[in-house]
Each structure stands twice: as C-alpha cells, then as structure tokens.
C-alpha cells in the first residue's frame, strides 16, 4: 500500500487547477448552512452533534449521552436514546400535517409513473411491516432485499426498519453467487425480490437468481416477490409469496418498534482488498443524524419547494443515505428512476429534470463523462433552469467534467458539491457547503462542520499544505460503521491498524496551499469502476475458479468514461493454452472469461480487457507487482522492475502482447 506513480497524472492535472467559484450573494443569503454552523462545531464538537441529533431526528426517548469512545475503535452515539427510523422518515411528516406532500415521484423505465405522498408511504410501509411480521420477521432479524429501483424497494427497507429488522440490500446487478454469499453471511431469514425490472428497454429477470442462490442449504425461509414486469416466474410453493397478496391483505396501522440508538439498521456489503466482501454495519441514531444533517446542509434542501433527485441505485450506500434515509428524514420530495440514462433516448435524465422541475441533482462523475461524450446538444434541448445545486459522488471529478457539469447542466450558476465519503462513513464527510464555500473544480475541499479529517504521511504525521499522503479521519463521527458483521477483528485490522488511533480510509489525498483536500484515488487493491468499488482479489478469484485459468492478476487501468476499468492478465492452464494461439481462439477465451466473471460476481465486474500472458511479474516473496501490470494496461513505459524475482517476465509479457498487436 503505497502512493505511487498511479497518482501522478491525476495529481498533475488537478494541481494545475486554480479556478475558484465563489457563491453568489443570492444563494448565500438563503442558504441553510451558515458560518455559525462551522463556529459551533469548532467550539464544542460533541455538543454540536447532540444539537444536530435533536434538530434532525425525533426521539421516543431522548438521549443523555452523546458519544462513548472509551473502547475505541468501537463507538456508541446517543446510546440511551430510543427511536425508530421509519417513524422518522415517514410518520412524523404526516403527524406534522405534511401527509399530502409527495415523497416519491417514481418514473419507470417504460414510462409508467406513480407519485407517492408521505401519507401513502405511511400506509404502505405499515402494511408491509405487518406483512413481514406475519411471516415471522422479528426485531433483530436480517432481511435481504434484491429489487430494482421501484417504490417497493424503499417501502421494503422502511418496513424492515419499522420492525427493527436489519435490511441488507443486494444490488440487482449482482449474480446469484454474490447473493448467496451475502445471504449466508448475514444469516437472512427472508428475501424480498421481484419477478424482474426494466433495464435498457427490456424486462430483466431477478427471481431466477434468487432461486439459484437459495438452492441447497440456506437460512432463508420465505421469499416475497413483487410483480413488476409480469414475466413468467418459477414458484416454490410454501416458500414464495407475492408481495401484493401479502401486503394488500395487511392492516394499514402498525406501531413502530422503538429501538435503541445503537440497534442495527442495516448491513451493506462492500468490496475490500481481500476476496470476500465485508458486511458494513450501520446502526440507527447516529446514522440518521448525520445523513439528515448532511442532506439538509450539503444540498441546501428546502423541503416545501425543492425537488431532489439522486440517481444512485438503492443497492449502494448512496441509495441508502441519499435516496432513502437522508431525504425522507428531511421530508423531501424526490424523483426515483428505474432505468438507464439512455433509454429510450440519451436525453432521458434531462427530460425527467424538466418534467419534475428537479432543483437538487446528485450523480456520479462517470455519468457526467458519459453525457459529455454524447454531446451537449442533448441536455441543450431541455429546460434545466430549475436546477440550483449539483452534487457529485463516487470518485474524484476531473476538472473538465466539473466545468462541463457546471456550465451545461448548471447554467454556469448552480454550485457543485463534490462529496467525499464511503460505505463505511455512512454519510458525507468532506464537501463544499453551497452558499459558504468558494468551490474548486476537482476538490472535495473541507471536512464538514463536526467532522475531522487529515492527510498524513507514512508515520501518521499531518503533511504540510501543498503535500500528499493518506486520508485519515481522526475523530469518531455519528454515522461511522460500527463494525464488520460477524468479524470485529477484521474491522480493527482493516481500518484502525495502519495508523494508531486513526481511521484509514484507503484513499490517497493532497492538501493544496489553502488546506483544501483533493482526493487522488485508492491506495489499496480496490478499484473504482463507474463509482463502484470492486476488489482486484475478488475478480482474480472469480477468474481462477474457471477451469481454463491457472493464474490471474487484475488491475484498474484509467478509463476516460468509467474512471477505472478492469484489466485482467491471465495465465491459461496447459490444456487450454493452445486456444489462445489463434486470434479467434483468444477472442473466445476472453468472452468465456468475461461471462464467467459476470456470473460469479455480476456484469459490473466484467473485465474490459483480458490479456493472456505466459507469466506474471512477481516479487521474490511472491507478490504480484500490479504496478507494472498497470503500466502495461495503460500503455506506459514499464516502471522500475528491479524487485522482480525474474526480470525477464515483463519482456515476455510485452513481446506476447505486441506479437498479437
Ligand atoms: C459514497 C461512495 C468509497 C470510495 C472512497 C473513494 C471514492 C467516493 C468520492 C471519492 C473522490 C469523491 N470516492 N466519493 N473519491 N472524490 N467525491 O462512493 O461509497 O462505494 O463505499 O466508495 O469511493 O475512493 O474511498 P463507496
């Protein structure tokens, strides 16, 4: 784990960036965030958080303790308070007289729409909670949710929260194998899925993956199936139940289960540096406090007038924190969209913004770069003047994409908030505050009020302004992960052992002359493809599980659209090696292996390129030198190879590649 040549190009590009965009006086005058917020957090950080927890969350039993950090790295926040997440997201808005406000404008990919008010949501969530309880789900159980971006996905999550069962959402693009391992790790009793969903103009089945994941031994007793596409669906009597049969029959009144602040709210799996994904555990009180606080201040939400849209799928942390919990806690009206940005045409997103007069928009740099590629005349056809804040998340946004986003989408006016955070941090940690911060294209800038971050060198010392190092968090925060499900030691090892008493985020960063933070990418073996985390190890083990592969090494190579792309180097087993001799055979091997990875992990993990090589570069201790492979994948001169056990390996690889052209 070192800062290396990988970060040099990004560094150079970003650090030549000197433009700044001060907030307009009009925006500043009406902004939610004020200088006092920063001052208060500086005066008394814990009192500041206690105040945010009282302001943004409704407590059944108020807390008297803010933070317990007596047993680091295990924190508790607001420990003696009691609350319910679904009550906070839904019921209290109805109780406050806002039941008629639209919570969700659903836009299906085929063009079907549905608007759900907070009062509707209260009924649906209550019925679903009753239905789940009737199926035997109890407080403390785990429920896996495997759904497309439809209203029922939000309802299902909140129904779990309402009865105090932890949800674990598995992205609908993940494979049956990925689903199986998450179900097993979480020990889930129930799965909520759908017959299918619409993607790229087609009905894509989901239920078969669930059936496959549950074959053999499984902790799952029941499967609830939402009918979305109406496609033919295999059925296991006694186990499978239709959502509509169940929920329509259920009572519309349900009393939320009041849980302790530290009661588990959800587990979300994310890629780490080793093969098996980590179940990141989030609890209730602190998580809700920080998601609501950040959503309110970073997006400058005005619940009565704004229309908010975050394009993330609920299968990712961004969907949890900034589609479900943050916005709904704040009583926002939001858009959720089921499909892809180019179905049926490349203007679909902008059409949706025009239609609903979206004012706050949150998406990922990879999507912005894709839209740039399609051309600015496409968004140019739509009225985007309703937009007043633009957000970015998932990876660093390169200055060129930032400028395009500002000019073409934001009319040279809407502030951009580049938000740095992780599945583990639960909520936004580093971001400009619109109306307060003079923004810089490509920088996430400052830790939010109440958050403490630093950039350190190998000895855990803060680097001076103008230098780079590792991003760490040096104070606990309310929405921090409480651990890795079932593996407390891995939590300590992964995040708290690299530097003593500091949370190691796994990202390289640099402080500029003003002390603003610029993120430089992962420093571990985690790739970032289209804003999604993928582990090199996980893809390598998927590749070697195929009979044709003897060894595999995977690297993330920079890619104009997706940020990074998966490039795999494989050594074939001898009995398959002949295949790769011809161009046709080699194309066939590539296709087979790509399909294999899609089956093992999911289509997002498919390597862009698979190169068949005779050897892999290894150190004397047997570690694959991915740095050298990355040089090859990015068509650079190969860097220092002196620590290789066999220095001729890189020549062998290069010769092989050039022979095939
Ligand atoms: C929210 C989310 C986390 C990793 C993180 C970093 C990268 C996210 C970023 C960013 C630069 C930003 N990342 N936001 N890098 N600037 N604004 O994406 O969570 O999927 O867990 O990924 O994504 O590398 O460590 P997650």
């Amino acid at each position: 784990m070192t800062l290396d040549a990988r970060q040099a190009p990004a560094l150079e590009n970003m650090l030549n960036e000197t433009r700044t965009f001060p907030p307009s006086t009009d925006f500043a005058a009406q902004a939610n965030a004020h200088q006092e917020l920063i001052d208060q957090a500086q005066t008394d950080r814990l009192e500041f958080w206690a105040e945010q927890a009282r302001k943004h969350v409704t407590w059944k039993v108020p807390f008297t303790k803010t933070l317990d950090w007596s047993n680091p790295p295990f924190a508790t926040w607001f420990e003696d308070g009691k609350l319910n997440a679904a009550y906070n997201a839904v019921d209290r808005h109805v109780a406050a007289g806002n039941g008629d406000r639209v919570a969700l404008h659903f836009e299906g990919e085929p063009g079907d729409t549905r608007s759900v008010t907070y009062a509707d949501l209260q009924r649906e969530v209550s019925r679903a909670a009753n239905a789940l309880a009737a199926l035997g789900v109890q407080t403390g159980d785990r429920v896996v949710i495997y759904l497309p971006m439809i209203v029922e996905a939000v309802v299902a999550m909140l129904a779990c929260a309402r009865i105090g069962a932890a949800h674990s959402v598995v992205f609908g693009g993940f494979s049956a194998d990925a689903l199986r391992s998450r179900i097993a790790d979480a020990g889930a009793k129930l799965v909520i899925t759908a017959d299918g969903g619409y993607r790229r103009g087609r009905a894509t089945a989901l239920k078969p993956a669930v059936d496959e994941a549950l074959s053999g031994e499984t902790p799952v007793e029941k499967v609830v199936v939402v009918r979305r596409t109406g496609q033919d669906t295999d059925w296991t009597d006694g186990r499978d139940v239709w959502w509509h049969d169940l929920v329509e029959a259920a009572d519309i009144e349900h009393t939320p289960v009041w849980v302790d602040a530290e009661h588990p709210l959800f587990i979300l799996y994310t890629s780490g540096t080793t093969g098996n994904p980590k179940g990141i555990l989030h609890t209730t009180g602190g998580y809700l406090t920080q998601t609501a606080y950040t959503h309110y201040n970073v997006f400058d939400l005005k619940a009565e007038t704004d229309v908010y849209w975050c394009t993330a799928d609920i299968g990712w942390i961004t969907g949890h924190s900034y589609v479900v919990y943050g916005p709904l806690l704040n009583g926002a009206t939001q858009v959720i969209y089921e499909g892809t940005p180019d179905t049926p045409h490349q203007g679909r997103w902008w059409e949706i913004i025009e239609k609903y007069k979206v004012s706050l928009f949150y998406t990922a740099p990879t999507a912005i770069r894709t839209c740039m590629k399609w051309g600015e005349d496409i968004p140019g056809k739509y009225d985007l003047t309703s937009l007043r804040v633009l957000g970015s998340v998932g990876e660093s946004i390169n200055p060129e994409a930032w400028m395009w986003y500002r000019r073409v989408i934001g009319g040279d006016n809407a502030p951009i908030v580049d938000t740095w955070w992780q599945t583990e941090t639960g909520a936004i940690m580093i971001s400009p505050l619109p109306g307060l911060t003079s923004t810089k294209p490509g920088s996430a800038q400052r830790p939010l009020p109440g958050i403490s971050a630093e950039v350190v060198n190998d000895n855990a010392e803060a680097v001076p302004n103008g230098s780079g190092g590792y991003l760490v968090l040096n104070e606990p925060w309310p929405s921090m992960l409480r651990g890795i499900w079932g593996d407390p030691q891995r939590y300590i090892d992964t995040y708290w052992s690299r530097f003593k008493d500091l949370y190691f985020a796994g990202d390289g960063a640099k402080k500029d002359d003003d002390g603003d933070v610029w993120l430089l990418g992962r420093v571990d073996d985690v790739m970032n493809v289209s804003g999604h985390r993928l582990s090199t190890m996980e893809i390598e083990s998927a590749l070697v599980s195929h009979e044709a592969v003897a060894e595999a090494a995977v690297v993330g190579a920079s890619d104009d659209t997706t940020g990074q792309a998966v490039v795999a180097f494989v050594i074939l087993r001898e009995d398959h090696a002949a295949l790769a001799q011809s161009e046709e055979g080699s194309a066939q091997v590539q296709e087979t292996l790509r399909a294999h990875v899609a089956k093992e992990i999911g289509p997002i993990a498919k390597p862009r390129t698979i190169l068949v090589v005779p050897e892999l570069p290894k150190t004397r201790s047997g570690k694959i030198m991915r740095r050298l492979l990355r040089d090859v994948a990015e068509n650079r001169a190969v860097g220092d190879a002196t620590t290789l056990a066999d220095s001729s390996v890189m020549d062998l690889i290069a010769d092989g590649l050039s022979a095939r052209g």
Side-chain angles (χ1 to χ4, degrees):
M1 254 181 268
T2 49
L3 291 170
D4 60 28
R6 221 176 329 168
Q7 279 143 3
L11 201 72
E12 215 169 278
N13 177 0
M14 288 186 157
L15 296 176
N16 288 331
E17 182 55 60
T18 54
R19 288 169 286 202
T20 57
F21 296 85
S24 74
T25 43
D26 287 356
F27 195 103
Q30 60 81 63
N32 289 349
H34 290 288
Q35 183 59 37
E36 291 104 76
L37 199 71
I38 299 174
D39 299 342
Q40 280 163 8
Q42 254 156 17
T43 313
D44 187 342
R45 201 178 80 92
L46 292 185
E47 184 43 37
F48 169 84
W49 280 120
E51 222 168 277
Q52 302 310 316
R54 286 188 284 260
K55 173 173 174 178
H56 294 286
V57 176
T58 303
W59 298 81
K60 182 69 175 175
V61 176
F63 58 89
T64 62
K65 288 203 279 187
T66 301
L67 167 69
D68 183 346
W69 191 234
S70 58
N71 179 32
F74 298 92
T76 68
W77 285 86
F78 317 120
E79 184 186 278
D80 55 348
K82 280 186 187 285
L83 74 170
N84 181 278
Y87 175 85
N88 271 276
V90 182
D91 301 59
R92 63 171 177 159
H93 305 309
V94 180
N98 294 320
D100 291 342
R101 185 184 298 161
V102 172
L104 304 170
H105 286 296
F106 168 73
E107 181 87 13
E109 199 190 72
D112 57 320
T113 62
R114 184 178 163 197
S115 289
V116 180
T117 65
Y118 276 93
D120 295 335
L121 202 54
Q122 185 179 32
R123 277 188 295 273
E124 300 250 338
V125 172
S126 298
R127 291 202 301 188
N130 280 320
L132 293 183
L135 288 181
V137 178
Q138 294 172 349
T139 308
D141 284 345
R142 274 84 51 210
V143 172
V144 161
I145 297 175
Y146 188 65
L147 283 172
M149 272 305 277
I150 54 178
V151 171
E152 287 81 357
V154 178
V155 172
M157 288 166 74
L158 293 173
C160 291
R162 205 172 171 95
I163 53 185
H167 52 72
S168 184
V169 182
V170 177
F171 175 54
F174 278 139
S175 67
D177 287 340
L179 185 59
R180 178 197 292 277
S181 64
R182 286 156 175 79
I183 288 170
D185 190 80
K189 214 182 200 177
L190 186 125
V191 174
I192 305 175
T193 188
D195 50 357
Y198 293 98
R199 252 191 116 62
R200 298 188 202 289
R202 283 187 302 132
T204 315
L206 276 175
K207 175 74 167 29
V210 175
D211 291 335
E212 196 183 327
L214 299 188
S215 64
E217 204 155 310
T218 178
V220 171
E221 293 160 16
K222 297 278 177 193
V223 177
V224 182
V225 188
V226 177
R227 184 183 281 152
R228 168 65 185 137
T229 59
Q231 63 201 114
D232 283 343
T233 301
D234 285 347
W235 208 252
T236 303
D237 288 326
R239 185 196 71 184
D240 300 350
V241 197
W242 284 111
W243 169 278
H244 55 263
D245 285 344
L246 196 69
V247 170
E248 271 160 30
D251 201 283
I252 60 163
E253 306 256 332
H254 178 270
T255 311
V257 175
W258 306 107
V259 298
D260 290 340
E262 286 297 339
H263 188 75
L265 180 61
F266 65 86
I267 301 165
L268 184 62
Y269 286 84
T270 188
S271 296
T273 48
T274 58
N276 55 329
K278 302 174 286 203
I280 303 299
L281 173 66
H282 282 288
T283 59
T284 309
Y287 174 81
L288 293 181
T289 298
Q290 197 175 328
T291 50
Y293 154 78
T294 50
H295 182 258
Y296 177 80
N297 287 295
V298 173
F299 293 100
D300 192 47
L301 176 82
K302 307 288 190 286
E304 289 90 43
T305 47
D306 275 316
V307 179
Y308 165 83
W309 182 21
C310 166
T311 63
D313 189 279
I314 49 140
W316 309 105
I317 190 66
T318 307
H320 283 60
S321 303
Y322 298 103
V323 175
V324 180
Y325 292 106
L328 294 179
L329 247 84
N330 290 335
T333 294
Q334 65 177 319
V335 171
I336 61 171
Y337 171 56
E338 178 185 27
T340 52
D342 53 351
T343 308
H345 58 80
Q346 294 175 337
R348 184 75 189 265
W349 274 12
W350 320 119
E351 187 178 70
I352 292 173
I353 290 176
E354 178 180 277
K355 174 175 171 185
Y356 294 103
K357 300 198 168 37
V358 171
S359 52
L360 316 174
F361 183 61
Y362 194 22
T363 194
T366 180
I368 298 164
R369 287 191 299 265
T370 302
C371 295
M372 276 173 80
K373 227 170 37 189
W374 292 340
E376 63 184 82
D377 51 315
I378 293 172
K381 286 186 221 146
Y382 300 90
D383 179 3
L384 305 180
T385 52
S386 54
L387 288 169
R388 58 179 206 92
V389 179
L390 301 177
S392 173
V393 62
E395 60 176 309
S396 293
I397 175 163
N398 47 308
E400 196 193 350
W402 195 101
M403 291 302 296
W404 189 90
Y405 197 24
R406 179 177 162 94
R407 180 175 58 82
V408 178
I409 307 304
D412 245 333
N413 177 43
I416 294 179
V417 288
D418 175 0
T419 61
W420 179 88
W421 59 293
Q422 310 177 292
T423 305
E424 294 86 342
T425 70
I428 299 172
M429 302 293 282
I430 305 180
S431 169
L433 282 170
L436 271 181
T437 313
S438 285
T439 54
K440 299 177 178 178
S443 172
Q445 299 191 281
R446 294 290 168 95
L448 290 176
I451 299 300
S452 191
E454 193 41 273
V455 179
V456 300
N457 63 18
D458 279 304
N459 304 321
E461 296 150 350
V463 302
N465 285 354
S467 314
Y470 307 97
L471 181 69
V472 296
L473 303 167
N474 46 13
E475 294 285 357
W477 63 100
S479 63
M480 67 193 281
L481 74 163
R482 298 304 195 260
I484 294 176
W485 184 253
D487 198 348
Q489 191 57 43
R490 192 173 176 198
Y491 168 62
I492 298 171
D493 294 345
T494 310
Y495 304 105
W496 298 94
S497 300
R498 178 72 170 80
F499 304 109
K500 193 176 166 337
D501 299 334
L502 299 173
Y503 171 90
F504 173 54
D507 283 316
K510 155 138 194 161
K511 288 193 289 194
D512 68 15
D513 292 338
D514 304 324
D516 284 326
V517 176
W518 298 69
L519 275 305
L520 303 174
R522 301 289 306 188
V523 293
D524 53 16
D525 289 326
V526 175
M527 290 170 287
N528 189 329
V529 178
S530 298
H532 297 144
R533 274 160 69 171
L534 294 171
S535 137
T536 53
M537 291 273 294
E538 204 179 347
I539 300 176
E540 283 166 8
S541 57
L543 284 166
V544 295
S545 74
H546 191 275
E547 55 174 19
V549 178
E551 261 195 279
V554 165
V555 298
S558 56
D559 183 281
D560 284 348
T561 306
T562 57
Q564 283 189 309
V566 181
V567 176
F569 294 80
V570 297
I571 304 178
L572 295 181
R573 285 178 191 276
E574 253 169 53
D575 45 346
H576 289 80
L579 255 183
Q581 298 306 325
S582 69
E583 210 164 291
E584 198 185 321
S586 151
Q588 201 186 329
V589 171
Q590 282 218 28
E591 240 354 274
T592 310
L593 294 181
R594 280 163 49 81
H596 181 69
V597 173
K599 183 184 166 296
E600 292 287 311
I601 306 173
I604 48 162
K606 271 202 274 195
R608 181 193 69 188
T609 315
I610 295 180
L611 299 165
V612 177
V613 293
E615 287 292 346
L616 288 171
K618 289 186 184 153
T619 62
R620 281 175 199 93
S621 63
K623 276 207 176 67
I624 295 173
M625 291 188 72
R626 292 196 178 74
R627 173 170 65 78
L628 301 178
L629 293 175
R630 210 172 297 116
D631 289 339
V632 174
E634 293 176 346
N635 298 316
R636 258 196 312 276
V638 172
D640 181 8
T642 47
T643 54
L644 278 182
D646 174 357
S647 59
S648 64
V649 167
M650 290 316 291
D651 298 334
L652 262 178
I653 292 175
D655 289 350
L657 298 181
S658 61
R660 269 209 310 277

